[in-house]
Amino acid sequence: MNDRTRRRDPGRIPDRLVDAYFDRELDEGSRDRLLGAMLGDPDRAEELAGIRRAINRLREPVAAPDLTERVLARVGRRRGFLSRRVRRLVRGGRLTAVACLLAVVLGVVVIERIAPGALRLTPRSRPISAVVEAGRADAERSVRLLTGADATGPDRAVSRGVIVGPLTPGALAGVRRLPPVSDHGLTIMGGSGAATVRRIPDAATFARSMEPFSFARASFLGSAEPAFEEPADDTPRPAPALIRFRGLEWVVGGMSDGSSGGGPPR
Amino acid sequence: MTRREEQRLIERAAAGDRAAAEACIRAHQASLYAYLLRLSGRPDLAEDVAQEAFVRVLTHLDRFDPRFRFSTWLFTIAKRVYINACQKLRPASCTDALGGTHDAADGPGEPIVSDEVAANSRDAVQRALMVLPEAQREIVILFHLLDWPIAVIAQHMDMPAGTVKSHLHRGRRRLREALERCERDAARVREVWA
């Protein structure tokens, strides 16, 4: 029986209404009207009762076996269950880990805010042109320092070719640019006498033994054996001298009392 | 059980709480077994499949998507296990047997007469269900036995809601006819052997 049947039998309740009834799609009013209409359609009423009976039979409970223990035993073998105490420990551990992570993140944020870049482990990458430019700027600044342009204290005085104050080991004398010297030799031109040329190792220190020719910081030249002999006590102290070393021209000399200070580099 | 309670229970079970896992099983085992029994008509198979489905689900609770109902997930896995089991059991197919409700333990020594009478009278609705094509049978079971909404059934069956409805309507009518036929047969058998 379907809607075609209904066209033949206008009094018959349509299939779609019966389906909607069993699909629980009818509201209470429609349901009452359908049940009322059943009185005039005994075939439909019988069909409806048959379907209702089948559904009721289907919904009768079946005796289900208890699978709980068997399932739990198998699951326990596969992944195991944890006691309440262990579960608490695990949960506590997770919470602690999360708290630590949050604390670290918070600490990093605070440090970055107070001192930006303080936590940077590697230098910030820069374009090679910037590196070259920075190197050139550093070199120029070093030269300016050596020529005494930016020097202070004794170094400033030396920049004029005169050492003022005690010439202590490590005091920087003065410098002028010269063409590079290929043999890394050192030329000392005494202020009054003839020029004296001595060869010294690449790295030499002129501390103490060369006083008052001490012209370089030990840290600048590194350490090596003295290249000059210690002058005798009665030897007159030389006048300021010009020293060429590694392409730089140095003016050194002067007395600790400043009586024979040299002039500008010659 | 509300969705929230169910979710908490699953979280506890996933964390290794045995009691929560037990509660999950107890909450769903009756409906799952009934679904599988009505679908297959074989109590032994229904029991095995239900057990295997629970084990798989409880072992992989971390994969559960809380947007869906736990029962939907459980029944989907159970159906997959059931299909696999049916493929293994062929040619003694799960869906063949009108006599599928016979206990596997029934031996040849059982009195044939009483067996037939009992089988006919015991579970006529199961026999009627086995007459339906599998899709119709499953939809009728899900809708009328488990009260699943059409939309959820459509999702579970992976078919449009309209198709689910037409299967449901045809299945319901066929179930009534088959049940009446089975009951008539059962009454006849009882009359003959009375």
Side-chain angles (χ1 to χ4, degrees):
Chain A
M1 295 283 180
N2 52 28
D3 285 351
R4 252 182 301 174
T5 316
R6 175 174 156 57
R7 279 197 289 278
R8 288 199 300 271
D9 184 1
R12 188 165 175 77
I13 298 168
D15 282 348
R16 58 181 166 73
L17 204 57
V18 175
D19 289 332
Y21 170 73
F22 284 113
D23 289 349
R24 308 169 202 136
E25 288 173 346
L26 293 184
D27 57 28
E28 200 172 347
S30 304
R31 218 163 39 234
D32 290 344
R33 277 197 296 280
L34 174 70
L35 294 176
M38 292 290 170
L39 298 172
D41 191 347
D43 289 345
R44 270 294 195 215
E46 191 183 337
E47 182 190 343
L48 206 104
I51 293 174
R52 172 56 59 201
R53 193 167 55 248
I55 291 170
N56 288 342
R57 290 288 300 276
L58 179 65
R59 292 175 73 92
E60 283 173 5
V62 293
D66 187 5
L67 305 171
T68 315
E69 287 308 318
R70 273 177 285 168
V71 171
L72 289 176
R74 283 182 62 189
V75 174
R77 277 198 299 276
R78 282 196 188 183
R79 52 164 282 192
F81 291 107
L82 303 174
S83 69
R84 183 181 291 262
R85 196 175 66 84
V86 174
R87 281 204 319 277
R88 278 185 186 162
L89 283 174
V90 169
R91 196 168 50 208
R94 282 182 184 163
L95 287 176
T96 307
V98 170
C100 288
L101 190 67
L102 283 177
V104 167
V105 170
L106 195 66
V108 167
V109 168
V110 168
I111 291 172
E112 277 293 321
R113 208 173 169 81
I114 293 170
L119 297 175
R120 186 177 295 281
L121 297 176
T122 54
R124 188 181 302 223
S125 62
R126 289 189 298 173
I128 190 70
S129 57
V131 174
V132 169
E133 202 54 46
R136 183 178 296 164
D138 283 348
E140 285 173 358
R141 193 166 59 247
S142 301
V143 168
R144 275 203 310 278
L145 279 171
L146 287 170
T147 55
D150 297 332
T152 57
D155 289 353
R156 181 187 294 275
V158 167
S159 72
R160 298 195 307 271
V162 177
I163 292 178
V164 177
L167 191 63
T168 54
L172 188 63
V175 63
R176 253 188 354 204
R177 274 182 173 283
L178 284 178
V181 181
S182 58
D183 62 358
H184 298 301
L186 177 68
T187 302
I188 299 175
M189 290 181 287
S192 53
T196 307
V197 178
R198 307 277 177 90
R199 288 191 179 279
I200 60 167
D202 277 357
T205 179
F206 297 88
R208 292 190 187 282
S209 61
M210 279 306 298
E211 200 173 14
F213 291 93
S214 183
F215 67 96
R217 294 189 181 96
S219 61
F220 180 71
L221 289 171
S223 65
E225 290 180 6
F228 295 91
E229 293 176 1
E230 182 83 29
D233 285 340
D234 54 349
T235 306
R237 289 182 184 277
L242 185 68
I243 299 176
R244 290 178 181 159
F245 180 61
R246 289 191 178 176
L248 297 177
E249 189 178 56
W250 303 75
V251 176
V252 298
M255 307 302 292
S256 56
D257 60 3
S259 58
S260 59
R266 285 177 292 183
Chain B
M1 191 188 304
T2 63
R3 288 286 289 271
R4 197 177 180 80
E5 288 168 347
E6 185 179 80
Q7 189 54 39
R8 286 176 62 86
L9 203 63
I10 291 164
E11 282 170 9
R12 280 174 49 207
D17 185 347
R18 193 179 195 277
E22 187 177 337
C24 280
I25 299 169
R26 290 201 187 284
H28 295 285
Q29 69 174 349
S31 58
L32 181 63
Y33 177 79
Y35 161 76
L36 291 166
L37 177 66
R38 292 308 190 195
L39 196 61
S40 67
R42 292 181 52 173
D44 55 338
L45 184 72
E47 192 174 328
D48 288 348
V49 170
Q51 186 177 328
E52 179 61 28
F54 272 123
V55 170
R56 286 193 190 183
V57 161
L58 291 175
T59 311
H60 300 107
L61 274 177
D62 50 320
R63 294 184 196 166
F64 173 60
D65 186 345
R67 288 176 301 171
F68 303 105
R69 287 206 72 116
F70 178 71
S71 54
T72 314
W73 188 49
L74 173 66
F75 278 67
T76 303
I77 289 177
K79 187 183 173 187
R80 211 173 296 153
V81 175
Y82 167 70
I83 290 169
N84 289 344
C86 284
Q87 284 168 349
K88 280 183 193 166
L89 288 172
R90 277 176 186 169
S93 167
C94 307
T95 55
D96 279 348
L98 276 180
T101 49
H102 288 272
D103 286 336
D106 289 350
E110 293 274 326
I112 294 170
V113 174
S114 63
D115 185 38
E116 188 173 351
V117 171
N120 274 292
S121 59
R122 183 176 54 194
D123 210 353
V125 72
Q126 185 63 55
R127 293 163 61 83
L129 272 173
M130 300 314 287
V131 172
L132 305 186
E134 192 154 340
Q136 283 183 16
R137 189 189 325 149
E138 185 172 6
I139 289 169
V140 167
I141 291 167
L142 290 173
F143 188 80
H144 286 297
L145 177 63
L146 302 175
D147 293 330
W148 282 21
I150 295 288
V152 178
I153 297 173
Q155 191 186 357
H156 176 77
M157 302 289 292
D158 196 20
M159 57 174 67
T163 312
V164 169
K165 274 188 160 187
S166 66
H167 275 305
L168 178 64
H169 300 162
R170 279 199 294 269
R172 205 155 46 205
R173 288 197 167 81
R174 289 183 73 167
L175 177 67
R176 176 186 74 91
E177 291 162 8
L179 182 63
E180 287 175 353
R181 207 165 40 242
C182 288
E183 284 176 339
R184 276 198 302 271
D185 290 347
R188 208 172 299 135
V189 169
R190 274 197 300 274
E191 274 174 23
V192 168
W193 295 108

